[in-house]
Amino acid sequence: MTMIEMPAVQTRLTSDEEQILLRVLREGATLATGPEGEAFEQEFAAFAGSDGAVAVNSCSSALELSAVLCGVGKGDEVIIPAHTFVSSAVPFARRGAKIVWADIDPDTAVLSASSVERLLTKRTKAIVVVHLYGLPADMDAILALADPRGIKVVEDCAQAPGARYRGRRVGAIGHFGCFSFHTHKNINTLGEGGMLTTRAEEDAVSARKLRWMGNWPFEEERKRYWVPAMGNVAPPMADQWPYNFCLGEPNAAVGRSLIKRVDGINEQRRKQAARILAALTDCPQLQFQKVPDDREHAYHLLAARYDAPAGTTRDDLIQHLLDRYQLKTIVQYWPLHRTPLFQQFGFDRAEVPESDRWFDNMISFPWWSDMPDATLDDMAERIVAAIGDVIARAA
Ligand SMILES: Cc1ncc(COP(=O)(O)O)c(C=O)c1O
């Protein structure tokens, strides 16, 4: 029996994409920010349906920019699901905002609008909505709370490129969308990369100024190209220090190609999910994310809450899957209020029973683009057998 485990690369380049990469390496005008990046931004905005798109080196950087553009600072509150990857919250905490932890919906395992509603105050400046595991959260319900109060909505789409909510792609529904092209994601731009989408074009302009150390073209026409200096050092926005969050040309060139096939990749992942979920229908202990009719899941991960039979625990199942069936599963995401990082800064209190219940009972199965049917069937058999064993042992 061979071990089935999560690979560190979710999607490999095709040989055509390798050729694109070679062309940029050999002939590209530059390897830093340049024409490939600009084309990637335009194509990504058209894909997502957003007014603006700014290519960056990670989703974490896109989230940093969104925190600046939301105008978040000391005295503000930002509502964020406790159940998410650390990057969803750090940029807002770094700016001195109070992080207010919201809960997930028990059926979809993504941010619950009713939980957000309970946490709103006059100081709420922004809400971060995370389309976790690839499933869009209920954006209309969240915007109905945010818009009348002038609250900014940031969509963390790291795990959901191309996913749809009521026919619209995520990332262009709120004010900002933040995407990841990290090696673990449905599409990757050579291991790292990201994109910020903006509802307003002027936010994209500000984000580009913030992205590269104030090195923004001089506004005035210059008689001599070296006067007053070779490059500008302009304030990107009032009272803001700039960053270096640039994406390289080889990464952007590959991203342009991947964005053309992300729908196909997601469709394949949905087919994979349908196949394995059908094979696991006799395991009611596994509660996979319920996908409401108005949403299209990008199936970044295949995660479930495991309601362990009496006398057994989730950890019994994980251990048994590993020891007896060579199936290495994963537990994620540590509710952020329970992590040493957020506790150190005093963000240790949260009333999020569903997030706690999910994390303490969840199990995430090995998963990647183009999983062969035989592997899916094999994995399902191992899961069914392992659950049967733990139940029999407990009886
Ligand atoms: C939900 C979520 N947000 C943000 C990020 C950060 O992405 P990146 O690694 O591109 O900074 C990740 C990456 O794992 C993520 O899963």
Side-chain angles (χ1 to χ4, degrees):
M1 191 179 272
T2 51
M3 177 77 85
I4 308 179
E5 60 187 315
M6 192 80 93
V9 183
Q10 279 284 315
T11 303
R12 294 282 174 186
L13 296 188
T14 61
S15 50
D16 283 353
E17 284 157 359
E18 287 171 2
Q19 290 308 313
I20 290 170
L21 183 56
L22 276 180
R23 182 179 54 70
V24 173
L25 292 178
R26 288 174 182 157
E27 299 162 21
T30 171
L31 296 181
T33 313
E36 292 292 336
E38 279 169 33
F40 186 29
E41 289 177 348
Q42 282 164 13
E43 288 159 13
F44 198 91
F47 164 81
S50 61
D51 282 335
V54 181
V56 286
N57 56 358
S58 71
C59 182
S60 303
S61 302
L63 285 155
E64 291 282 350
L65 294 178
S66 76
V68 176
L69 294 167
C70 285
V72 165
K74 283 199 177 56
D76 294 329
E77 294 180 2
V78 180
I79 299 177
I80 302 178
H83 180 64
T84 184
F85 185 69
V86 57
S87 302
S88 310
V90 166
F92 300 89
R94 198 199 306 281
R95 295 184 67 76
K98 179 180 171 196
I99 306 300
V100 180
W101 301 117
D103 208 356
I104 56 171
D105 172 86
D107 291 335
T108 58
V110 291
L111 181 62
S112 137
S114 57
S115 164
V116 170
E117 188 169 16
R118 286 193 292 277
L119 299 169
L120 291 167
T121 72
K122 287 203 173 64
R123 287 182 298 279
T124 307
K125 185 86 174 186
I127 300 167
V128 180
V129 183
V130 188
H131 306 305
L132 205 65
Y133 306 113
L135 180 64
D138 189 355
M139 287 302 295
D140 281 351
I142 292 162
L143 284 167
L145 297 170
D147 281 344
R149 295 173 171 85
I151 297 170
K152 299 280 186 192
V153 174
V154 177
E155 293 179 75
D156 181 339
C157 310
Q159 304 192 355
R164 284 192 171 87
Y165 172 82
R166 300 194 174 160
R168 284 184 294 162
R169 292 202 197 264
V170 297
I173 307 173
H175 297 86
F176 300 101
C178 302
F179 293 82
S180 174
F181 310 129
H182 180 266
T183 181
H184 290 164
K185 299 301 186 294
N186 288 21
I187 54 172
N188 81 82
T189 50
L190 307 180
E192 299 279 1
M195 189 70 78
L196 173 75
T197 49
T198 64
R199 192 189 273 185
E201 179 54 33
E202 64 261 28
D203 281 331
V205 173
S206 302
R208 281 191 198 98
K209 291 182 178 176
L210 286 160
R211 178 178 62 179
W212 191 30
M213 287 296 157
N215 194 332
W216 186 250
F218 287 96
E219 309 264 319
E220 68 281 5
E221 204 181 314
R222 292 184 297 155
K223 289 206 176 73
R224 292 169 162 173
Y225 66 84
W226 64 93
V227 178
M230 288 293 282
N232 202 352
V233 186
M237 290 169 70
D239 301 325
Q240 292 300 331
W241 291 106
Y243 304 88
N244 181 354
F245 285 162
C246 296
L247 185 73
E249 287 285 270
N251 314 68
V254 165
R256 293 181 65 193
S257 179
L258 279 158
I259 208 66
K260 292 191 188 89
R261 63 186 182 97
V262 67
D263 281 338
I265 290 169
N266 291 348
E267 187 52 41
Q268 169 65 18
R269 295 170 85 99
R270 279 191 286 277
K271 278 195 192 129
Q272 290 174 199
R275 185 176 184 99
I276 193 156
L277 294 187
L280 293 173
T281 44
D282 290 340
C283 298
Q285 303 84 358
L286 289 172
Q287 292 294 321
F288 290 91
Q289 284 178 296
K290 290 207 173 68
V291 186
D293 289 343
D294 56 5
R295 303 184 213 171
E296 211 172 66
H297 203 318
Y299 277 108
H300 168 57
L301 290 169
L302 186 73
R305 194 184 67 225
Y306 176 64
D307 294 332
T312 75
T313 67
R314 184 269 315 266
D315 296 343
D316 294 339
L317 178 65
I318 291 182
Q319 193 68 55
H320 190 59
L321 278 168
L322 183 66
D323 295 345
R324 171 74 185 79
Y325 293 101
Q326 299 278 291
L327 183 64
K328 193 169 182 189
T329 56
I330 287 174
V331 172
Q332 78 241 107
Y333 289 90
W334 200 0
L336 292 175
H337 64 289
R338 289 162 55 179
T339 63
L341 177 63
F342 284 92
Q343 288 181 344
Q344 176 190 311
F345 287 101
F347 300 122
D348 54 348
R349 259 165 293 156
E351 200 54 53
V352 289
E354 292 302 338
S355 303
D356 287 328
R357 179 158 79 115
W358 175 273
F359 176 71
D360 293 334
N361 296 286
M362 73 88 62
I363 182 164
S364 183
F365 297 100
W367 194 243
W368 61 93
S369 300
D370 291 327
M371 264 178 106
D373 284 351
T375 307
L376 290 164
D377 297 346
D378 183 6
M379 189 158 90
E381 276 171 29
R382 295 185 200 196
I383 296 167
V384 171
I387 293 177
D389 291 349
V390 292
I391 291 174
R393 264 206 235 149

